Amino acid sequence: MQDFLDELDNELDGGESVSEADFVEQKQPKPAVSEQRKPTPPVKNQPRQKTFSKNKPDSKNRPETFVPQKNFGTFVSRFPDVKFYLPTLRDKYTRFIPIGGNNETGAKNMGMFQYGDDIMLVDCGVQFADMDMLGANYSVPDVSFLTKYTKNIKGFVITHAHLDHIGALKHILPALDMPVLYGTRLTLGIIRKWLEEAKLLDKATLIEVDAGSDKKWDVGPFKVEFFRVNHSVPDCAGLYIESPGGAKFVHTGDFKIDFTPAIDAPADLTRISEIGRRGITMLLSDSTGSSRKGFSMSEKNVGEALEKIVSEHTRGRLIIASFSSWISRIQQLIDICDKHGKYIFLSGRSMVENVAIAKELGYLKVKEHIMKKMTPKNTEGIPPHKQVIITTGSQGEQFSALARMAVGQHNSIEIVQGDTVVFSSSVVPGNEKSVVGIINKLIKLGANVITKDDGEVHTGGHAFQEEQKIMINLVHPKYFMPIYGDLYFRTLHKNTAKTIGYKEEDMVMIENGHIVDFAPDGNLFRSRIKVPIQDIIIDGHGMGTLGSHVLKAREKMMNSGVLVLVYKVDKRTRALLGHIKLETRGLVYLEEVRDIHRMIIKKARDSYEHTVKDVPDIEEKDLIKVLRSDLETFVSKRIDREPMIIPMVVEV
Ligand SMILES: [Zn+2]
């Protein structure tokens, strides 16, 4: 509890800290309104406690003891216990369950295939926090129901290296006893870095596959073949999955079709069409780009637009914000800068790290003479118009390199009049406000800002409707399941499939946790049983569910602030000793502040004295409940707000 208060002291502004003494000892008449705004001077012989943290009760009296996390520096992976057992799978039947990614777009992607008792998992992504998660860092797929099946899990197949497909591995791998991972070289390279940071690498088994080869991998009873697709990170794979029960699946992962990608080979349409001739039971296909008509633009067009900007840039620095995993974009920039005699500086930790990994694995051909280290000293001697800075922060992320530049806190780069900032990126839905915020700050500093609205400086990584049609046509499945998207995007994708002849009954529209089983003849059966899937949130090193009391408390504090009352009482007689102290955070009021505090403290005293008199042997936890409830009613009536109220009884 004390740590909680200390944290509040550090985190929240606008708090009030007062003691009953501030009122009861002050016998002067009520000051005029204008004087009330002045801070109250400390009362003589009653030094005012500025904050609680300086008035820590001794350890014996601390209401709760803080136990530091033993596993600090590693990651928590204790999922809640659930009493759920997978329904028995009939002989020769094959099962699919989306665990994450079907109720959300571009987040938390994960699915499972089952045959007999054996399970194979596909992808394992995170979802980054939005306002609904109230300060939690991110959420991960709920694998609580799988933790009792760890012996049955034969492997994890990973389609590509984006965090919404790999970011939850560090939590989920240990929870599932470290199943074997299959992925392409770059995908595993980036996973390796994450597992190393989480101190899990030495326990992990990673098997490298080649998406260009038609080799079939045995993952438990399943045969899995990887094929090449295009996307916004190189070395992406789609999957062909064959079950001994006869069901055959194609899982696209994230994909687009680009005939002129920058460094990858184009999506392997020949092989996809060959796979389609095997008689596919169900296609699971990426719905992220479902709302976009036509074909997505090629990465090559972006290169041309960027080259025009770089070559014509003659004044100030050129700062290009992009995703750090967009290796092909970075390669294009390296080549362009080389051609036009410019120097590249990388800014942002993930940018530097991903470039290092891609370079080491041979995906990025870096020309050392143009790549400079980012320090204030190293930019010296290079005229600003020769400097091209590739930076993270295209989504307006609060602590990113670009955000630091925008507020003048970047170590090496100070934005000045005449600099140009290019957003070679699109805005992920939900980030619009932060991005516009950064753009405003950059313009204020004198920068010229270019976004994809001003030119072809970005293309997305997901198939538009015409590419989605190509995939469905080539694979030609019996059933079609739009995946990776909330209901809206999946429905748009379904509608696209209808335009090429698929019927409503051919579509599999299911949410996370729904179970579909396929008979040996390929017919589909939907189970009425649903896997319980909750939102599992990660907050620092802690893990919990979205419905937990922690988030409810945060919501209350966020909406209405916090009010803490400390009662010092005699351990034996339970009589109140001295003054009740009141501490508030985040409650907004001005002129009436002293009156309100006075009223609350009076109510707090009355409520305590009455309760202890009426029930002299009341237990402390019940006493606290009564005090809280009395005060909640009172505060709600008087100031029409419902702050979180924390009464604390300190026995001495
Ligand atoms: Zn992706």
Side-chain angles (χ1 to χ4, degrees), residues 302 305-306 309 329 422-425 450-452 455-458:
V302 177
L306 289 174
I309 293 172
R329 187 77 43 91
V422 180
F423 283 78
S424 183
S425 55
I450 298 173
T451 72
K452 74 183 180 62
E456 294 182 335
V457 293
H458 180 68

Side-chain angles (χ1 to χ4, degrees), residues 30 88 134 136 144 214 286 291 334 360 412 420 453 473 624:
K30 192 179 165 193
T88 312
L134 293 172
S144 309
D214 60 1
D286 174 14
S291 61
I334 291 171
E360 193 188 310
S412 316
T420 295
D453 296 335
N473 271 320
I624 300 267

